[in-house]
Amino acid sequence: QSVLTQPPSVSGAPGQRVTISCTGSSSNIGADYDVHWYQHLPGTAPKLLIYANGNRPSGVPDRFSGSKSGTSASLAITGLQAEDEADYYCQSSDSSLNGDVVFGGGTKLTVL
Amino acid sequence: EVQLVESGGGLVQPGGSLRLSCAGSGFSFNSYAMNWVRQAPGKGLEWVSYISGSSSTISYADSVKGRFIISRDSAKNSLYLQMNSLRAEDTALYYCAREIGYDFSANYNVYLDLWGQGTLVSVSS
């Protein structure tokens, strides 16, 4: 069972907007640790998508955005494209685990 | 090219040992803390272990504490994971990942900005 909770799956048609939630607790997101997001296609290296809640690394399209509030965070993807179909993971740190890295369980995005 | 390349995975019997390696290139390897993260078949990402740039600070997930040992060699720009007393539940794709850390709002935050392609470890009789 993951420390951070994500929905197992979400879906959307090309061009639509989808959001993926990430729910934590008072020892991680609620303790004001930042949230980061990764995109993972099977058989490839995970890719950093969003860091520090809402910042995009160079090369990540502005269709991807992140936000955080209270004990939760969310990833939004607008203008869905077929190549966005992948697994998405949120990540933070947890004070009850000495600040170690914690992941969400992952969300499978299906582009219909 | 900035990259991480893992090696050393394979099939091992329960109770056996395996040593994974991760070679970094294209960046100042010794300036970065590094992590191992794994993904079991059909499961999500699980953090396994951390080592600071100077090797002075090390931590492990409870699931591997006492069985796995993380280390690094500055001369070879390499990261290692010595895995002992392997169990079936250790079967996974193992990734090494470079860490970026920063202070904000009284917390030290970290994220993983560069990952390798992974090396597969299968524990089975």
Side-chain angles (χ1 to χ4, degrees):
Chain A
Q1 196 159 352
S2 302
V3 173
L4 306 177
T5 301
Q6 298 180 235
S9 64
V10 297
S11 63
Q16 285 190 331
R17 177 181 186 269
V18 296
T19 61
I20 298 172
S21 62
C22 174
T23 302
S25 67
S26 59
S27 63
N28 41 68
I29 300 175
D32 217 16
Y33 281 102
D34 285 347
V35 178
H36 322 284
W37 293 89
Y38 303 88
Q39 180 189 60
H40 189 207
L41 288 93
T44 69
K47 172 187 174 183
L48 178 67
L49 202 61
I50 296 287
Y51 66 94
N53 305 320
N55 297 280
R56 287 184 305 276
S58 174
V60 173
D62 60 6
R63 300 186 298 104
F64 296 90
S65 63
S67 63
K68 175 191 147 184
S69 178
T71 58
S72 296
S74 64
L75 173 71
I77 310 172
T78 59
L80 263 184
Q81 298 181 4
E83 58 260 36
D84 297 334
E85 187 161 294
D87 297 320
Y88 293 83
Y89 293 88
C90 61
Q91 177 252 305
S92 187
S93 301
D94 196 296
S95 59
S96 67
L97 299 171
N98 298 314
D100 287 336
V101 167
V102 291
F103 287 101
T107 298
K108 169 67 177 178
L109 168 62
T110 301
V111 181
L112 302 171
Chain B
E1 182 185 2
V2 176
Q3 64 177 355
L4 296 168
V5 179
E6 302 94 337
S7 61
L11 176 63
V12 61
Q13 293 187 337
S17 297
L18 210 55
R19 188 196 195 205
L20 306 184
S21 298
C22 167
S25 60
F27 65 99
S28 182
F29 185 83
N30 302 323
S31 297
Y32 291 88
M34 297 293 296
N35 292 262
W36 287 99
V37 176
R38 68 184 180 183
Q39 183 179 33
K43 303 292 185 181
L45 299 176
E46 178 191 14
W47 173 78
V48 173
S49 185
Y50 159 92
I51 186 168
S52 62
S54 64
S55 302
S56 59
T57 303
I58 284 173
S59 60
Y60 300 96
D62 286 344
S63 57
V64 306
K65 200 172 294 183
R67 300 187 298 122
F68 289 12
I69 300 172
I70 190 171
S71 63
R72 62 193 299 163
D73 185 330
S74 58
K76 295 182 178 179
N77 287 344
S78 291
L79 173 73
Y80 305 101
L81 188 66
Q82 176 67 43
M83 303 186 296
N84 302 319
S85 303
L86 282 162
R87 307 166 179 166
E89 54 264 35
D90 295 318
T91 294
L93 191 57
Y94 284 74
Y95 298 97
C96 62
R98 185 176 75 177
E99 179 176 299
I100 301 295
Y102 60 97
D103 289 304
F104 183 75
S105 187
N107 288 327
Y108 187 74
N109 296 271
V110 304
Y111 60 89
L112 308 176
D113 75 324
L114 178 67
W115 298 64
Q117 295 283 343
T119 186
L120 182 62
V121 173
S122 295
V123 184
S124 174
S125 54

